[in-house]
Each structure stands twice: as C-alpha cells, then as structure tokens.
Amino acid sequence: MKFVTYINDGESGVGVLNAAETSVIPAAELGLEAKTMNELIDELRGGLPTVPAGVKELALSDIKLDAAIPEPKQDIICLGLNYRDHAEEATRADAVFDVQRGDAVYFAKRLQRAVAPGGIIDGHFDICDSLDYEVELGVVIGKDAKNVKAADAAEYIFGYTIINDVSARNLQTRHKQWYFGKSLDDFTPIGPCIVSAEKLGAMPELDIRCYVNGELRQNSNTRMMIFDIPYIIEELSAGMTLKAGTVIATGTPSGVALGMEPSVREYLKSGDVIRCEIEGIGVLENAIG
C-alpha cells in the first residue's frame, strides 16, 4: 500500500494510491478522519486500512502530490556514512569525521517543511558554494518504539520513502559537524509516497539510484548498508522513545559530488535536476532554484 499527501483545489489531504497507481483514494473514503500524514499514522496505530468497493478516487492528473510527510513531528534522525563505499569516498575527501570506527554515526536534520516531488530546492548560494545531493531510504515509524529488539522491529515500521539529504558541504566542513549544513530550508525533499512495511519487509533489498541532469551519479542497493534497519531501531530505541511518525534517513551510497576527484568535482548549481529513485517506492525529482 502506498500512502500519499496531496493537494486538491488548494486543500491538503492524505490517502492511498489505487492498485493501478493512477488515482488517490482519500482517507475519508477509507473510514478515516486523518487530514495529515502524522494524523494518519496515529489513527492507524501500526495497522493498515481496508479499501471498500466503490470508493471515490481522485485522478493523479487532477491533483498535486505534496511531500509524503510534509512536517514530521521532530527532526529527522540520520545515519552518516552507512554505506561502506560512501564512507571510503568521504575519507578520501577529508570530510568532517574520521570514519575508522565500529559504531553507527547518528545526527539530526532539521526541516521546517519537506519539499514536494517536483518542488524547487533553494540552493542558498549566498552562503553555500558546494551544494550536494544524497539519495537515501527513509524509514517512518508507525507506533511508539521503546526498547524494541531487532527481531521485532518490523512491527514498528509504518513504511518507507525516498529522501534527498541535500547538503552544503562548505558549511559542514567549516562548522565541523553536519547539522547546520544539512538543515537549511528546502534541503529535505521527501516522497513521492510512503510504501507500507508489509509490502517491503524490515530488511528491504532495493536498488537505489540518483541522477543529476540525466547522468547516473549514485547506483547501489540498500543491502549494502553497514547497519540495517532492525539494528538501527534496536539501538536507538534502547535509549530514546521513537515516537510514531519519526523519520529515519538510513544513509547514502557512494557517488556524491564530495567523493569526486577535485579536478572533476561537480557540485549542484541553479537549474540542475536531481532524480532520486528507489525500487518499489518510485521517483523523487526536484530542481535547484
């Protein structure tokens, strides 16, 4: 099941895609009261809605998809350097942190509002001279998780989405941390949907790619993550409650601009189009303003 946030006649709503993925079934048609994705997650409480026969549908051509979860309740929890090949390219580029360690690296990414599919990303070129892309698998928690064991992690996953972890590398380097350089307004496109966990499982092995202006830059599979999703949920929930609606960005594979040789390094510029793809979820495409 694919959940979406959409805008119809200026009004925001949530629903699910039909089987053909040509239209949206509004939440009200499913017997739900939710108006936002956060409300939908809370209302479902880890379950899935039933789609009755003869429900009203809204053609995708008549509406606009918004970010899958436009305003998460809290900052996104991110994993740094969670693909071995990306850790190696970051080390070569002399990035902020020493990656010769055995534990996961976590940090937060603030966002005011996520950018929708097709939306414009403000490059903040007045303060950023090295704008970068990072396609990531996003995990959305479906119910409050505390002291969850890896074997039980699937019960707490609402679903999966695509995140572009846009990054200002000069700010990241200057301030010796990742928070500021990854948290500027518009630096978090999310979408186009959230695919329910029952469809993909707790340890999905999905092809993950990123293109810039049609050029393939990142090409990997989520099975290449160093720390898998059940591990992440167990480790984090041992010390903090992961509230329903929490979003976790699980890291990016190699191929970012930072990892290129300096002589051929191509950071993003105004007008560039970034296309993020994850198998089974869809496409998240945005342009730089």
Side-chain angles (χ1 to χ4, degrees):
M1 188 166 280
K2 291 187 174 182
F3 297 90
V4 295
T5 300
Y6 64 89
I7 299 171
N8 181 37
D9 291 333
E11 296 291 327
S12 181
V14 290
V16 300
L17 293 182
N18 68 350
E21 300 188 8
T22 57
S23 64
V24 174
I25 303 169
E29 295 291 314
L30 305 174
L32 301 171
E33 298 180 357
K35 304 297 184 183
T36 69
M37 191 61 71
N38 285 320
E39 292 175 355
L40 183 66
I41 293 168
D42 287 340
E43 189 171 354
L44 289 175
R45 298 182 179 180
L48 292 173
T50 300
V51 181
V55 294
K56 174 186 175 182
E57 300 184 7
L58 302 173
L60 284 177
S61 57
D62 294 334
I63 63 174
K64 181 182 184 298
L65 288 184
D66 201 349
I69 181 164
E71 296 180 350
K73 295 178 181 178
Q74 299 173 312
D75 289 357
I76 292 177
I77 300 173
C78 302
L79 271 83
L81 310 168
N82 196 32
Y83 287 72
R84 200 169 305 281
D85 55 359
H86 177 56
E88 291 169 355
E89 71 176 0
T91 300
R92 291 196 302 270
D94 192 26
V96 175
F97 290 116
D98 177 8
V99 298
Q100 302 304 316
R101 42 71 184 158
D103 297 313
V105 172
Y106 299 106
F107 63 95
K109 181 180 177 82
R110 177 172 292 275
L111 75 159
Q112 301 301 320
R113 184 177 177 83
V115 177
I120 302 299
I121 299 168
D122 182 350
H124 295 279
F125 293 115
D126 54 336
I127 59 173
C128 174
D129 62 9
S130 48
L131 188 66
D132 213 344
Y133 50 87
E134 292 189 4
V135 60
E136 306 202 10
L137 177 66
V139 180
V140 183
I141 298 298
K143 57 183 179 179
D144 291 1
K146 177 67 175 177
N147 294 322
V148 174
K149 296 303 181 184
D152 301 320
E155 301 174 23
Y156 294 84
I157 302 171
F158 177 70
Y160 301 96
T161 190
I162 303 173
I163 297 173
N164 186 355
D165 180 19
V166 182
S167 306
R169 299 302 189 190
N170 60 313
L171 299 181
Q172 182 177 322
T173 301
R174 180 191 308 163
H175 293 280
K176 308 301 182 187
Q177 44 75 29
W178 289 330
Y179 187 74
F180 182 33
K182 290 176 174 282
S183 299
L184 304 187
D185 292 348
D186 294 348
F187 271 23
T188 315
I190 301 178
C193 62
I194 300 173
V195 180
S196 57
E198 48 79 31
K199 188 176 181 65
L200 297 180
M203 292 191 291
E205 296 187 359
L206 308 172
D207 290 337
I208 179 170
R209 301 185 182 91
C210 181
Y211 299 80
V212 177
N213 301 327
E215 177 191 355
L216 181 61
R217 296 284 186 88
Q218 295 180 275
N219 185 16
S220 188
N221 188 284
T222 59
R223 67 173 174 270
M224 303 304 293
M225 286 192 290
I226 299 171
F227 301 100
D228 64 25
I229 293 162
Y231 177 95
I232 294 165
I233 291 174
E234 176 173 336
E235 182 164 70
L236 289 175
S237 71
M240 66 174 77
T241 301
L242 302 177
K243 302 290 289 183
T246 295
V247 181
I248 303 172
T250 57
T252 198
S254 65
V256 299
L258 175 70
M260 298 176 182
E261 293 297 328
S263 61
V264 296
R265 187 174 293 156
E266 294 185 52
Y267 285 117
L268 298 170
K269 60 185 182 302
S270 181
D272 283 351
V273 176
I274 306 98
R275 178 183 175 93
C276 299
E277 300 179 355
I278 299 182
E279 178 186 1
I281 301 177
V283 173
L284 175 64
E285 185 170 286
N286 300 92
I288 304 298

